[in-house]
């Protein structure tokens, strides 16, 4: 059996070599000729899997994407050809939650506001939106959820309407990219919507670039009419609108979900799905391969405050590192993809154990370290 795997799927060979011959490929440029004899095709979000890519392949039985998003896969076409499919729902949701947390802590410091005094609207309350909610409410921040499809399906959480979203201090986007239907998200934030926002607000996009009309955003940014922007995703990646960059407070190349833990979880989920499809027992798991975190524990000898919390979050992940790297690489040839390919190791907050020398020091009226994601121990 021939298993074709995107070269950026971490531990791809380790997980899948027992199924057959492994052939790796570069996800952005893969051709129909290259994958014509694949039995299994495992991709990430940069490979469009459709009739064109599979036109020369008559054998393929299974397509998997080690990602949450599936907008790069023509699911109708796979169904028509009876090709099994699996994605990795939720694999990197914690990483996205921690990206948003880190970004908002940075902005709170640079703009001198208290996050706890702000209201955050989370647009899309699925896996990643809920992870953002968990991190921020763990900090005591007031969050509102906006998700009409979930609301209509009977989800028992409280939801707000779109005008409440637009009035919130901070808006964080976590919807899939959809081009049609009553809840389509393509240019959900178009010029008309963007015009209703003010420079006092913050707008975060860590879902798909096409959810915001980037040209409308640029036009308004040039007139100094946009909110403070945190953009991880862009229209037309990797050939993004670079003129936007000077107007973006924190800019990164689609790495919000790039913790090692989240990426490896994606591979592991595909391994489980393929094992099930082939009726094999799944005996491997990510802990068999995962490297130890560089910092795994720290002693805390003072009471928990928001300042201390900020230091702990940024000890593990500080989005300013990625913003600086991105700005230094974006004008190089393939800069966007190169930074993603060579992304420096990043771990989830849970890899850090906090040892409180005095257990009463972890008491806080607003901050819940476990909920934010840390592992807490008492000496
Ligand atoms: N930047 C990154 O690294 C990164 C990482 C993971 C996921 N993503 C993107 O984020 C998207 C969301 O991920 P998820 O795990 O939360 O997916 P999910 O499917 O768990 O949740 C998405 C939610 O959006 C809701 N939704 C759909 N249309 C909507 C609309 N018009 N208005 C409001 N809500 C709407 C859905 O009902 C659903 O609850 C993915 O599809 C992917 O494109 C990006
Ligand atoms: O949808 C997802 O899971 C994320 O957008 C994911 O982090 C994208 O990473 P890529 O597949 O482009 O490496």
């Amino acid at each position: 059996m021939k298993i074709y795997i995107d070269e950026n799927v971490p531990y791809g060979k380790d997980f899948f070599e027992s199924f057959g011959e492994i052939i790796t490929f570069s996800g952005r440029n893969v051709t129909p000729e290259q994958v014509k004899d694949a039995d299994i095709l495992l991709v990430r979000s940069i490979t469009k899997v459709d009739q064109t890519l599979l036109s020369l392949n008559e054998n393929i039985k299974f397509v998997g994407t080690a990602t949450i998003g599936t907008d790069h896969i023509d699911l109708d076409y796979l169904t028509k050809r009876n090709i099994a499919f699996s994605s990795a729902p939720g694999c990197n949701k914690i990483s996205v939650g921690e990206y948003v947390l880190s970004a908002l802590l940075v902005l709170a410091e640079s703009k001198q506001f208290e996050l706890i005094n702000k209201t955050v609207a989370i647009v899309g309350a699925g896996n990643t939106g809920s992870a953002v909610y968990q991190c921020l409410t763990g900090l005591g921040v007031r969050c509102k959820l906006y998700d009409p499809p979930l609301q209509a399906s009977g989800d028992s959480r409280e939801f707000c309407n779109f005008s409440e979203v637009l009035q919130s201090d901070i808006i964080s986007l976590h919807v899939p990219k959809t081009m049609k239907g009553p809840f389509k998200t393509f240019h959900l934030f178009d010029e008309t919507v963007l015009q209703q926002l003010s420079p006092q607000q913050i707008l975060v996009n860590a879902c798909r670039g096409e959810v915001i009309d980037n040209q409308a955003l640029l036009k308004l940014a040039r007139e100094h009419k946009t909110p403070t922007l945190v953009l991880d995703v862009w229209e037309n990646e990797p050939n993004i609108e670079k003129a936007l960059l000077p107007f973006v407070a924190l800019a990164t190349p689609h790495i919000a979900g790039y913790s090692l833990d989240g990426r490896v979880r994606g591979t592991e989920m595909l391994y489980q799905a393929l094992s099930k499809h082939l009726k094999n027992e799944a005996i491997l798991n990510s802990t068999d391969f995962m490297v130890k975190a560089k910092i795994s524990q720290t002693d805390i000898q003072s009471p928990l405050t928001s300042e201390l919390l900020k230091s702990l979050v940024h000890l593990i992940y500080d989005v300013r590192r990625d913003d600086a790297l991105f700005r230094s690489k974006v004008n190089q040839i393939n800069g966007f993809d190169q930074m993603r390919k060579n992304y420096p190791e990043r771990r989830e907050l849970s890899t850090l154990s906090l040892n409180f020398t005095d257990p009463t020091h972890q008491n806080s009226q607003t901050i819940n370290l476990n909920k934010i994601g840390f592992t807490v121990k008492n000496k």
Side-chain angles (χ1 to χ4, degrees):
M1 187 153 59
K2 292 198 171 177
I3 303 158
Y4 280 68
I5 311 185
D6 180 312
E7 63 191 2
N8 289 344
V9 169
Y11 301 116
K13 188 168 182 295
D14 305 86
F15 268 110
F16 295 100
E17 64 187 353
S18 65
F19 294 113
E21 184 188 350
I22 305 288
I23 299 115
T24 55
F25 61 86
S26 158
R28 191 75 79 182
N29 315 311
V30 61
T31 62
E33 180 67 30
Q34 259 179 294
V35 297
K36 70 175 183 206
D37 60 349
D39 298 293
I40 311 286
L41 178 65
L42 305 177
V43 300
R44 295 193 60 87
S45 79
I46 56 173
T47 302
K48 202 163 171 40
V49 181
D50 55 8
Q51 182 161 16
T52 308
L53 184 68
L54 299 180
S55 56
L56 305 177
N57 186 314
E58 288 173 3
N59 312 325
I60 190 142
K61 296 284 177 298
F62 183 98
V63 169
T65 180
T67 58
I68 293 183
T70 56
D71 47 282
H72 52 299
I73 312 280
D74 185 340
L75 293 172
D76 291 339
Y77 175 71
L78 297 191
T79 308
K80 238 184 269 166
R81 280 197 51 191
N82 203 21
I83 300 168
F85 170 71
S86 186
S87 62
C91 62
N92 53 47
K93 64 179 180 180
I94 294 171
S95 181
V96 173
E98 293 174 0
Y99 173 94
V100 175
L101 176 65
S102 176
L104 295 183
L105 288 171
V106 166
L107 294 180
E109 184 174 71
S110 63
K111 295 184 167 295
Q112 289 292 293
F113 64 79
E114 290 295 333
L115 209 38
I116 196 144
N117 296 331
K118 302 289 180 191
T119 299
V120 180
I122 297 172
V123 176
N127 282 307
T128 57
S130 299
V132 171
Y133 182 89
Q134 170 103 355
C135 277
L136 295 179
T137 52
L139 207 63
V141 179
R142 207 159 79 87
C143 295
K144 294 177 179 176
L145 300 174
Y146 173 75
D147 192 322
L150 268 189
Q151 192 173 10
S153 77
D155 189 308
S156 60
R157 291 175 292 178
E158 193 182 321
F159 292 95
C160 68
N161 60 38
F162 200 57
S163 60
E164 288 175 84
V165 168
L166 300 186
Q167 283 156 23
S168 299
D169 303 306
I170 299 169
I171 303 170
S172 196
L173 306 180
H174 302 282
V175 291
K177 173 182 154 190
T178 49
M179 304 301 290
K180 53 183 195 270
F183 303 119
K184 90 173 161 94
T185 62
F186 179 78
H187 288 185
L188 182 65
F189 279 62
D190 61 7
E191 186 165 355
T192 312
V193 169
L194 290 169
Q195 271 170 341
Q196 296 172 60
L197 303 178
S198 78
Q200 281 69 48
Q201 291 171 292
I202 293 171
L203 177 61
V204 181
N205 190 4
C207 60
R208 285 293 180 264
E210 292 77 7
V211 176
I212 300 179
D213 179 342
N214 280 204
Q215 288 308 320
L217 192 64
L218 179 59
K219 182 174 160 235
L220 292 169
R222 285 182 166 141
E223 295 163 10
H224 306 287
K225 288 181 181 159
T226 47
T228 296
L229 297 170
V230 178
L231 296 186
D232 177 54
V233 289
W234 310 75
E235 278 198 286
N236 205 25
E237 293 174 11
N239 304 312
I240 66 165
E241 176 54 88
K242 290 184 196 158
L244 257 178
L245 273 167
F247 302 107
V248 179
L250 290 166
T252 50
H254 197 154
I255 49 68
Y258 260 30
S259 67
L260 184 61
D261 312 75
R263 295 177 71 225
V264 174
R265 212 174 281 123
T267 316
E268 184 181 28
M269 287 170 83
L270 284 195
Y271 165 74
Q272 285 162 351
L274 182 60
S275 301
K276 192 168 171 202
H277 175 73
L278 298 173
K279 300 191 171 49
N280 281 3
E281 192 190 348
I283 49 171
L284 300 175
N285 62 64
S286 51
T287 48
D288 299 337
F289 314 114
M290 197 66 139
V291 290
K292 279 212 161 83
K294 290 188 179 121
I295 306 172
S296 59
Q297 54 180 312
T298 183
D299 288 345
I300 314 275
Q301 290 158 30
S302 67
L304 180 57
T305 60
S306 52
E307 271 305 302
L308 177 61
L309 187 270
K310 188 175 61 187
S311 307
L312 291 170
V313 171
H314 288 151
L315 177 64
I316 302 303
Y317 180 56
D318 189 334
V319 66
R320 284 171 290 201
R321 173 196 77 174
D322 291 344
D323 171 82
L325 252 176
F326 183 41
R327 288 181 203 271
S328 76
K329 300 233 178 285
V330 69
N331 288 319
Q332 295 175 7
I333 297 165
N334 292 332
F336 192 93
D337 279 346
Q338 280 307 315
M339 180 171 159
R340 306 185 81 225
K341 187 171 161 58
N342 304 312
Y343 188 64
E345 185 177 307
R346 164 178 160 206
R347 301 306 295 264
E348 290 177 356
L349 298 182
S350 64
T351 58
L352 182 66
S353 277
L354 306 177
N355 302 314
F356 279 87
T357 47
D358 176 347
T360 62
H361 280 164
Q362 64 175 289
N363 298 340
S364 156
Q365 284 193 334
T366 51
I367 304 169
N368 181 334
L369 289 167
N370 285 308
K371 197 169 174 192
I372 294 169
F374 291 104
T375 304
V376 183
K377 289 188 176 151
N378 291 315
K379 277 222 157 148

